[in-house]
């Protein structure tokens, strides 16, 4: 019954792409210049609602749940506090994992273009408590997330290639796999960029 209810919430053709891109240019957190390039590259190939920096706030994140089929978030992510709470940093504030549980709707796909979004505390009998898991728990069809700190430029390029592959008709898992292979096959990159993170 739970699966049926979640399936009914998903696959609405009117739902579009929503992207939140936070560079933290004017904030105390480390500036991420690759986020602006990622937004620019995705905007060239996908129509949708693109919000950047001051226009990408917590309320915009939560409003996107009801409107987006694909929700893309580029920002800082980390484990915070003594409880190691998975956290996303927006322009105006942070969103913690527990805040996702109150959502009534969920996008079909969430792309977390940020560090350690599949990382968290290992809980016996439960597994890793992460942002990725939080999105799955509220009914998101799929989540693209990472275990490690990411190279910003690499994440940006892999993400754009993934969207290109999806637009060419690839299934999401295949599109991401091919985007990673495209990255690895480019021999012009420094050796350290071929490490898993």
């Amino acid at each position: 019954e739970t699966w049926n209810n979640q399936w009914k919430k998903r696959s609405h053709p009117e739902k579009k792409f929503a992207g939140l891109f936070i560079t933290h240019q004017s904030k105390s957190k480390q500036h991420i210049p690759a986020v602006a390039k990622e937004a620019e590259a995705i905007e060239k190939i996908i129509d949708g609602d693109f919000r950047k920096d001051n226009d990408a706030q917590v309320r915009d994140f939560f409003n996107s749940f009801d409107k987006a089929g694909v929700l893309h978030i580029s920002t800082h992510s980390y484990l915070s506090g003594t409880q190691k709470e998975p956290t996303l940093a927006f322009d105006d504030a942070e969103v913690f994992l527990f805040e996702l549980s109150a959502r009534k709707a969920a996008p079909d796909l969430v792309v977390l273009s940020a560090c350690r979004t599949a990382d968290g505390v290992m809980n016996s009998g439960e597994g890793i408590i992460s942002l990725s898991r939080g999105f799955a728990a509220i009914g998101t069809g799929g989540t693209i997330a990472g275990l490690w700190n990411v190279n910003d430029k690499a994440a940006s390029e892999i993400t754009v290639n993934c969207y290109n592959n999806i637009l060419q008709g690839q299934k999401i898992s295949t599109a991401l796999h091919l985007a990673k292979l495209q990255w690895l096959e480019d021999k012009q990159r420094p050796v350290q960029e071929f490490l898993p993170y």
Side-chain angles (χ1 to χ4, degrees), residues 76-187:
H76 285 296
S77 175
Y78 41 84
L79 303 176
S80 59
T82 57
Q83 297 295 315
K84 303 282 189 205
E85 181 76 19
T87 308
L88 283 171
F90 287 90
D91 192 65
D92 59 334
E94 296 171 324
V95 170
F96 300 96
L97 173 65
F98 72 86
E99 295 178 82
L100 296 179
S101 63
R103 304 310 309 162
K104 301 285 188 244
D108 294 330
L109 174 65
V110 174
V111 178
L112 297 169
S113 185
C115 294
R116 301 176 66 179
T117 50
D119 190 16
V121 174
M122 178 62 86
N123 194 344
S124 295
E126 294 291 326
I128 296 175
I129 308 300
S130 67
L131 286 166
S132 177
R133 177 193 174 107
F135 282 104
I138 63 169
T140 298
T143 304
I144 295 176
L147 283 169
W148 300 287
N149 290 334
V150 296
N151 176 294
D152 298 326
K153 184 174 181 281
S156 172
E157 289 185 31
I158 291 170
T159 302
V160 171
N161 286 338
C162 181
Y163 284 126
N164 270 321
N165 294 336
I166 291 169
L167 293 172
Q168 292 173 15
Q170 296 291 331
K171 290 182 0 183
I172 295 167
S173 58
T174 303
L176 179 59
H177 176 72
L178 292 174
K180 291 177 183 179
L181 287 178
Q182 287 170 286
W183 174 263
L184 290 171
E185 289 169 357
D186 184 347
K187 303 299 182 204

Side-chain angles (χ1 to χ4, degrees), residues 2 8 13 28 46 58 65 95-96 100 107 109 112 143 189 195:
T2 300
K8 287 175 190 174
S28 60
I46 296 176
V58 171
F65 275 80
V95 170
F96 300 96
L100 296 179
L109 174 65
L112 297 169
T143 304
R189 303 188 189 286
L195 295 172

Side-chain angles (χ1 to χ4, degrees), residues 1-127:
E1 187 63 29
T2 300
W3 185 85
N4 284 331
N5 289 335
Q6 290 175 347
W7 185 254
K8 287 175 190 174
K9 287 194 265 183
R10 296 186 343 201
S11 303
H12 299 290
E14 70 278 3
K15 288 189 171 187
K16 304 284 186 203
F17 176 91
L20 302 165
F21 301 88
I22 303 96
T23 64
H24 299 280
Q25 188 167 6
S26 60
K27 299 294 180 181
S28 60
K29 298 195 178 358
Q30 183 180 3
H31 175 51
I32 319 171
V35 167
K37 291 180 182 176
E38 181 178 47
E40 184 180 311
I42 295 171
E43 208 164 3
K44 287 179 182 175
I45 60 171
I46 296 176
D47 290 329
D49 182 21
F50 286 78
R51 296 182 176 268
K52 300 166 191 156
D53 292 325
N54 291 338
D55 294 327
Q57 299 190 359
V58 171
R59 73 171 180 277
D60 302 306
F61 168 68
F62 286 123
N63 287 339
S64 296
F65 275 80
D66 299 325
K67 301 174 188 170
V70 176
L71 176 58
H72 180 105
I73 305 159
S74 290
T75 186
H76 285 296
S77 175
Y78 41 84
L79 303 176
S80 59
T82 57
Q83 297 295 315
K84 303 282 189 205
E85 181 76 19
T87 308
L88 283 171
F90 287 90
D91 192 65
D92 59 334
E94 296 171 324
V95 170
F96 300 96
L97 173 65
F98 72 86
E99 295 178 82
L100 296 179
S101 63
R103 304 310 309 162
K104 301 285 188 244
D108 294 330
L109 174 65
V110 174
V111 178
L112 297 169
S113 185
C115 294
R116 301 176 66 179
T117 50
D119 190 16
V121 174
M122 178 62 86
N123 194 344
S124 295
E126 294 291 326

